Amino acid sequence: MNAINFLGIVYMAIDCFSHFAVPLFILISGFVLYNKYSGKIEIKKFYERRLMSVLPQYLIFSTFYIGTTYIGSIILAKSLNLDIPKIVYFYVTGGSEYHLWFFILIIQLYILYPALIGIYNFCHSRGKSAELLLLVFLMGVIYNVYPMPDVFILGKSTRILETLTKFIPYLFYFILGIIIRNRYEELLRKSISKKSIYCISVLIFCYTFCGIFFYAENYFNIDISKILPIIGDYSKWVSATISPLYYVSIFALFFYISLHIVNQKGMFFDLLKKIGNYSFGIYLIHVFIMTVLLQVFPRFGLDWNNWLFYPLIFCLTLTFSIISVDVIKRLPYSKYIIGSTR
């Protein structure tokens, strides 16, 4: 964007708020895995099932995005250097397209799950689940404040160490998901008062507002220490500590809303259910569709500084993604391309 205006502030607020998505997915992953594998695990069978549910799709779409990047550079007459080591690096780090890093994270958690569930069961049997959750919380905070250094490979700076340890700041959400599953029936019996919901909403609003300043620091090179001198010098620590609590507050709010939607049902529920069934494929394909739209829209005078740009991009990306998944699912062995759409 060109400047900090009302549109820019709204965009930064939405950006700050929407980052709960990956932590929530990791929490749900912990919940679902513990629901199915809470005791002794048949290691070979577990790895075969879990890796086959993500690895073929990851490799196919990594290849697809590398290919489209190469073709796009030819069409747009841009220079592109794709040597073999760089392509291998893309596959290893999820770098073929920006959203594919998420698969590296999921694969790491699948690989570590037998060890993690062993540690959790050991702590749970001794009444130390809360201590384990606190430990992984602190590990995540320290990791986000002091990220892994770059490593030089073949004379080039790489983030391979950061990639290999990507799971560390997400262990808090994963373990939290396991704990929630362990006490889920008890949690469902507890009613959430409207007063609690209002308090949670206020907290979410306050942090989202503060988050705008952190985003302005990144997007517009604003010196946050001059605007918020109290936390300016400790902004990394404040952000790393509060962010998980912020996301958990959003989880609680959305859980309350989702229960209401499920009870009411209706057209909105049916739409969300369809998006849920197609979500894996939507996630894989949506970046390609959005990239095409981002090339087309400016030709019609619509860019990042236009209010209409955002809802149009969102609605068209979602619509074309659903249509694409609907077409692909009819192909043989489609589950290896876009996952199951049941």
Side-chain angles (χ1 to χ4, degrees), residues 192-226:
I192 305 174
S193 66
K194 288 188 176 181
K195 185 178 180 181
S196 299
I197 295 299
Y198 292 146
C199 290
I200 290 173
S201 300
V202 170
L203 288 172
I204 292 171
F205 174 82
C206 291
Y207 185 84
T208 302
F209 180 78
C210 292
I212 292 171
F213 292 98
F214 293 111
Y215 275 78
E217 187 175 34
N218 293 325
Y219 290 154
F220 299 103
N221 297 319
I222 303 297
D223 188 355
I224 196 172
S225 62
K226 294 180 179 178

Short mmCIF file of all heavy atoms in Angstrom, two decimals, residues 192-226:
data_model
loop_
_atom_site.label_atom_id
_atom_site.label_comp_id
_atom_site.label_asym_id
_atom_site.label_seq_id
_atom_site.Cartn_x
_atom_site.Cartn_y
_atom_site.Cartn_z
N ILE A 192 -20.64 -21.35 28.72
CA ILE A 192 -19.86 -20.11 28.66
C ILE A 192 -20.82 -18.94 28.79
O ILE A 192 -21.75 -18.80 28.00
CB ILE A 192 -19.08 -20.01 27.33
CG1 ILE A 192 -18.21 -21.24 27.13
CG2 ILE A 192 -18.22 -18.75 27.30
CD1 ILE A 192 -17.51 -21.30 25.79
N SER A 193 -20.61 -18.11 29.78
CA SER A 193 -21.50 -16.98 30.01
C SER A 193 -21.25 -15.90 28.96
O SER A 193 -20.15 -15.80 28.40
CB SER A 193 -21.29 -16.40 31.40
OG SER A 193 -20.00 -15.85 31.52
N LYS A 194 -22.29 -15.10 28.70
CA LYS A 194 -22.14 -14.01 27.74
C LYS A 194 -21.13 -12.98 28.23
O LYS A 194 -20.42 -12.36 27.43
CB LYS A 194 -23.50 -13.35 27.50
CG LYS A 194 -24.45 -14.21 26.68
CD LYS A 194 -25.70 -13.44 26.29
CE LYS A 194 -26.59 -14.30 25.39
NZ LYS A 194 -27.82 -13.57 24.98
N LYS A 195 -21.07 -12.82 29.55
CA LYS A 195 -20.10 -11.89 30.12
C LYS A 195 -18.67 -12.32 29.77
O LYS A 195 -17.82 -11.49 29.43
CB LYS A 195 -20.27 -11.82 31.64
CG LYS A 195 -19.38 -10.77 32.30
CD LYS A 195 -19.63 -10.71 33.80
CE LYS A 195 -18.73 -9.66 34.45
NZ LYS A 195 -18.95 -9.60 35.93
N SER A 196 -18.41 -13.63 29.83
CA SER A 196 -17.08 -14.15 29.48
C SER A 196 -16.77 -13.89 28.01
O SER A 196 -15.64 -13.52 27.66
CB SER A 196 -17.00 -15.65 29.78
OG SER A 196 -17.21 -15.90 31.14
N ILE A 197 -17.78 -14.08 27.16
CA ILE A 197 -17.60 -13.85 25.73
C ILE A 197 -17.30 -12.38 25.46
O ILE A 197 -16.41 -12.06 24.66
CB ILE A 197 -18.86 -14.28 24.95
CG1 ILE A 197 -19.06 -15.80 25.06
CG2 ILE A 197 -18.75 -13.88 23.48
CD1 ILE A 197 -17.93 -16.63 24.51
N TYR A 198 -17.98 -11.49 26.14
CA TYR A 198 -17.73 -10.06 25.97
C TYR A 198 -16.31 -9.71 26.40
O TYR A 198 -15.61 -8.93 25.73
CB TYR A 198 -18.74 -9.24 26.77
CG TYR A 198 -20.16 -9.33 26.26
CD1 TYR A 198 -21.25 -9.29 27.13
CD2 TYR A 198 -20.42 -9.46 24.89
CE1 TYR A 198 -22.56 -9.38 26.67
CE2 TYR A 198 -21.72 -9.55 24.42
CZ TYR A 198 -22.79 -9.51 25.30
OH TYR A 198 -24.08 -9.61 24.83
N CYS A 199 -15.88 -10.28 27.53
CA CYS A 199 -14.52 -10.00 28.03
C CYS A 199 -13.46 -10.50 27.05
O CYS A 199 -12.48 -9.81 26.77
CB CYS A 199 -14.32 -10.66 29.40
SG CYS A 199 -15.28 -9.91 30.72
N ILE A 200 -13.69 -11.72 26.52
CA ILE A 200 -12.75 -12.28 25.55
C ILE A 200 -12.71 -11.41 24.29
O ILE A 200 -11.63 -11.13 23.75
CB ILE A 200 -13.16 -13.72 25.18
CG1 ILE A 200 -12.92 -14.66 26.37
CG2 ILE A 200 -12.37 -14.22 23.96
CD1 ILE A 200 -13.46 -16.06 26.17
N SER A 201 -13.88 -10.94 23.86
CA SER A 201 -13.95 -10.10 22.65
C SER A 201 -13.19 -8.80 22.84
O SER A 201 -12.50 -8.33 21.92
CB SER A 201 -15.41 -9.81 22.30
OG SER A 201 -16.13 -11.00 22.06
N VAL A 202 -13.31 -8.21 24.03
CA VAL A 202 -12.59 -6.96 24.33
C VAL A 202 -11.08 -7.19 24.30
O VAL A 202 -10.32 -6.39 23.75
CB VAL A 202 -13.04 -6.38 25.69
CG1 VAL A 202 -12.12 -5.24 26.12
CG2 VAL A 202 -14.48 -5.90 25.62
N LEU A 203 -10.64 -8.30 24.90
CA LEU A 203 -9.21 -8.63 24.90
C LEU A 203 -8.69 -8.82 23.48
O LEU A 203 -7.59 -8.34 23.14
CB LEU A 203 -8.97 -9.90 25.72
CG LEU A 203 -9.11 -9.78 27.24
CD1 LEU A 203 -9.03 -11.15 27.89
CD2 LEU A 203 -8.04 -8.85 27.81
N ILE A 204 -9.47 -9.51 22.66
CA ILE A 204 -9.07 -9.73 21.27
C ILE A 204 -8.97 -8.41 20.52
O ILE A 204 -8.01 -8.17 19.78
CB ILE A 204 -10.08 -10.68 20.57
CG1 ILE A 204 -9.98 -12.08 21.15
CG2 ILE A 204 -9.83 -10.71 19.06
CD1 ILE A 204 -11.07 -13.02 20.69
N PHE A 205 -9.95 -7.53 20.74
CA PHE A 205 -9.93 -6.22 20.08
C PHE A 205 -8.70 -5.42 20.50
O PHE A 205 -8.04 -4.80 19.65
CB PHE A 205 -11.20 -5.44 20.42
CG PHE A 205 -11.20 -4.03 19.89
CD1 PHE A 205 -11.54 -3.77 18.57
CD2 PHE A 205 -10.84 -2.96 20.71
CE1 PHE A 205 -11.53 -2.47 18.08
CE2 PHE A 205 -10.83 -1.66 20.22
CZ PHE A 205 -11.17 -1.41 18.91
N CYS A 206 -8.39 -5.43 21.79
CA CYS A 206 -7.25 -4.65 22.30
C CYS A 206 -5.93 -5.13 21.71
O CYS A 206 -5.10 -4.32 21.28
CB CYS A 206 -7.20 -4.72 23.83
SG CYS A 206 -8.54 -3.85 24.65
N TYR A 207 -5.75 -6.46 21.64
CA TYR A 207 -4.49 -6.95 21.09
C TYR A 207 -4.42 -6.72 19.59
O TYR A 207 -3.34 -6.42 19.05
CB TYR A 207 -4.30 -8.43 21.39
CG TYR A 207 -2.94 -8.91 20.93
CD1 TYR A 207 -1.81 -8.74 21.73
CD2 TYR A 207 -2.77 -9.48 19.67
CE1 TYR A 207 -0.56 -9.14 21.30
CE2 TYR A 207 -1.52 -9.89 19.23
CZ TYR A 207 -0.41 -9.71 20.04
OH TYR A 207 0.82 -10.10 19.61
N THR A 208 -5.56 -6.86 18.92
CA THR A 208 -5.57 -6.61 17.47
C THR A 208 -5.18 -5.16 17.19
O THR A 208 -4.42 -4.88 16.26
CB THR A 208 -6.97 -6.88 16.89
OG1 THR A 208 -7.35 -8.23 17.18
CG2 THR A 208 -6.98 -6.69 15.37
N PHE A 209 -5.69 -4.26 18.03
CA PHE A 209 -5.34 -2.84 17.89
C PHE A 209 -3.84 -2.63 18.09
O PHE A 209 -3.18 -1.92 17.32
CB PHE A 209 -6.13 -2.01 18.89
CG PHE A 209 -5.85 -0.53 18.83
CD1 PHE A 209 -6.41 0.25 17.83
CD2 PHE A 209 -5.00 0.07 19.76
CE1 PHE A 209 -6.13 1.61 17.76
CE2 PHE A 209 -4.72 1.43 19.70
CZ PHE A 209 -5.29 2.20 18.70
N CYS A 210 -3.28 -3.27 19.13
CA CYS A 210 -1.84 -3.15 19.37
C CYS A 210 -1.04 -3.80 18.24
O CYS A 210 0.04 -3.33 17.86
CB CYS A 210 -1.47 -3.80 20.70
SG CYS A 210 -2.12 -2.95 22.15
N GLY A 211 -1.61 -4.89 17.69
CA GLY A 211 -0.93 -5.59 16.61
C GLY A 211 -0.73 -4.72 15.38
O GLY A 211 0.21 -4.93 14.61
N ILE A 212 -1.63 -3.74 15.19
CA ILE A 212 -1.50 -2.82 14.06
C ILE A 212 -0.15 -2.10 14.11
O ILE A 212 0.50 -1.90 13.08
CB ILE A 212 -2.66 -1.80 14.06
CG1 ILE A 212 -3.98 -2.52 13.76
CG2 ILE A 212 -2.42 -0.68 13.05
CD1 ILE A 212 -5.21 -1.66 13.95
N PHE A 213 0.30 -1.74 15.32
CA PHE A 213 1.57 -1.04 15.46
C PHE A 213 2.75 -1.95 15.07
O PHE A 213 3.71 -1.51 14.43
CB PHE A 213 1.75 -0.53 16.89
CG PHE A 213 0.80 0.57 17.27
CD1 PHE A 213 -0.36 0.29 17.98
CD2 PHE A 213 1.03 1.88 16.88
CE1 PHE A 213 -1.24 1.29 18.32
CE2 PHE A 213 0.15 2.90 17.21
CZ PHE A 213 -0.99 2.60 17.94
N PHE A 214 2.66 -3.24 15.46
CA PHE A 214 3.72 -4.18 15.09
C PHE A 214 3.77 -4.37 13.58
O PHE A 214 4.84 -4.47 12.98
CB PHE A 214 3.50 -5.52 15.79
CG PHE A 214 3.67 -5.47 17.28
CD1 PHE A 214 2.59 -5.63 18.13
CD2 PHE A 214 4.92 -5.26 17.84
CE1 PHE A 214 2.75 -5.58 19.50
CE2 PHE A 214 5.10 -5.21 19.21
CZ PHE A 214 4.00 -5.37 20.05
N TYR A 215 2.60 -4.43 12.95
CA TYR A 215 2.55 -4.59 11.50
C TYR A 215 3.03 -3.33 10.79
O TYR A 215 3.68 -3.40 9.75
CB TYR A 215 1.13 -4.95 11.06
CG TYR A 215 0.86 -6.42 11.17
CD1 TYR A 215 0.60 -7.01 12.39
CD2 TYR A 215 0.91 -7.24 10.05
CE1 TYR A 215 0.37 -8.37 12.50
CE2 TYR A 215 0.69 -8.60 10.14
CZ TYR A 215 0.42 -9.16 11.37
OH TYR A 215 0.22 -10.51 11.48
N ALA A 216 2.68 -2.17 11.34
CA ALA A 216 3.14 -0.91 10.74
C ALA A 216 4.66 -0.83 10.78
O ALA A 216 5.29 -0.27 9.87
CB ALA A 216 2.53 0.27 11.49
N GLU A 217 5.25 -1.42 11.82
CA GLU A 217 6.72 -1.44 11.92
C GLU A 217 7.32 -2.22 10.76
O GLU A 217 8.36 -1.84 10.22
CB GLU A 217 7.11 -2.07 13.27
CG GLU A 217 8.60 -1.98 13.57
CD GLU A 217 8.91 -2.51 14.96
OE1 GLU A 217 8.23 -3.46 15.41
OE2 GLU A 217 9.83 -1.98 15.60
N ASN A 218 6.66 -3.32 10.36
CA ASN A 218 7.17 -4.15 9.28
C ASN A 218 6.82 -3.60 7.90
O ASN A 218 7.64 -3.59 6.99
CB ASN A 218 6.61 -5.58 9.41
CG ASN A 218 7.14 -6.29 10.63
OD1 ASN A 218 8.30 -6.10 11.01
ND2 ASN A 218 6.32 -7.10 11.27
N TYR A 219 5.57 -3.14 7.75
CA TYR A 219 5.08 -2.71 6.44
C TYR A 219 5.56 -1.32 6.05
O TYR A 219 5.84 -1.04 4.90
CB TYR A 219 3.55 -2.72 6.41
CG TYR A 219 2.93 -4.10 6.44
CD1 TYR A 219 1.65 -4.29 6.94
CD2 TYR A 219 3.59 -5.22 5.94
CE1 TYR A 219 1.05 -5.54 6.98
CE2 TYR A 219 3.02 -6.47 5.96
CZ TYR A 219 1.74 -6.62 6.48
OH TYR A 219 1.15 -7.85 6.50
N PHE A 220 5.61 -0.41 7.03
CA PHE A 220 5.89 1.00 6.72
C PHE A 220 7.13 1.54 7.44
O PHE A 220 7.34 2.75 7.51
CB PHE A 220 4.68 1.86 7.10
CG PHE A 220 3.43 1.49 6.33
CD1 PHE A 220 2.43 0.74 6.91
CD2 PHE A 220 3.26 1.90 5.00
CE1 PHE A 220 1.28 0.40 6.21
CE2 PHE A 220 2.12 1.56 4.30
CZ PHE A 220 1.12 0.81 4.90
N ASN A 221 7.94 0.62 8.02
CA ASN A 221 9.19 1.01 8.70
C ASN A 221 8.95 2.04 9.80
O ASN A 221 9.74 2.98 9.97
CB ASN A 221 10.19 1.55 7.68
CG ASN A 221 10.60 0.50 6.67
OD1 ASN A 221 10.81 -0.65 7.02
ND2 ASN A 221 10.69 0.90 5.41
N ILE A 222 7.85 1.88 10.54
CA ILE A 222 7.56 2.76 11.68
C ILE A 222 8.36 2.29 12.88
O ILE A 222 8.43 1.10 13.18
CB ILE A 222 6.05 2.74 12.02
CG1 ILE A 222 5.22 3.15 10.80
CG2 ILE A 222 5.74 3.62 13.21
CD1 ILE A 222 5.47 4.57 10.34
N ASP A 223 8.98 3.22 13.59
CA ASP A 223 9.74 2.90 14.81
C ASP A 223 8.76 2.79 15.97
O ASP A 223 8.29 3.80 16.51
CB ASP A 223 10.78 3.98 15.08
CG ASP A 223 11.72 3.58 16.22
OD1 ASP A 223 11.49 2.52 16.84
OD2 ASP A 223 12.67 4.33 16.50
N ILE A 224 8.44 1.55 16.38
CA ILE A 224 7.43 1.34 17.41
C ILE A 224 7.86 1.87 18.77
O ILE A 224 7.04 2.22 19.61
CB ILE A 224 7.08 -0.16 17.51
CG1 ILE A 224 5.77 -0.35 18.29
CG2 ILE A 224 8.19 -0.94 18.15
CD1 ILE A 224 5.26 -1.76 18.28
N SER A 225 9.18 1.96 19.01
CA SER A 225 9.67 2.45 20.31
C SER A 225 9.30 3.91 20.54
O SER A 225 9.18 4.36 21.67
CB SER A 225 11.19 2.27 20.41
OG SER A 225 11.84 3.03 19.40
N LYS A 226 9.09 4.67 19.44
CA LYS A 226 8.69 6.07 19.58
C LYS A 226 7.20 6.21 19.84
O LYS A 226 6.75 7.17 20.48
CB LYS A 226 9.06 6.84 18.31
CG LYS A 226 10.57 6.96 18.09
CD LYS A 226 10.88 7.73 16.81
CE LYS A 226 12.38 7.85 16.61
NZ LYS A 226 12.72 8.57 15.35
#
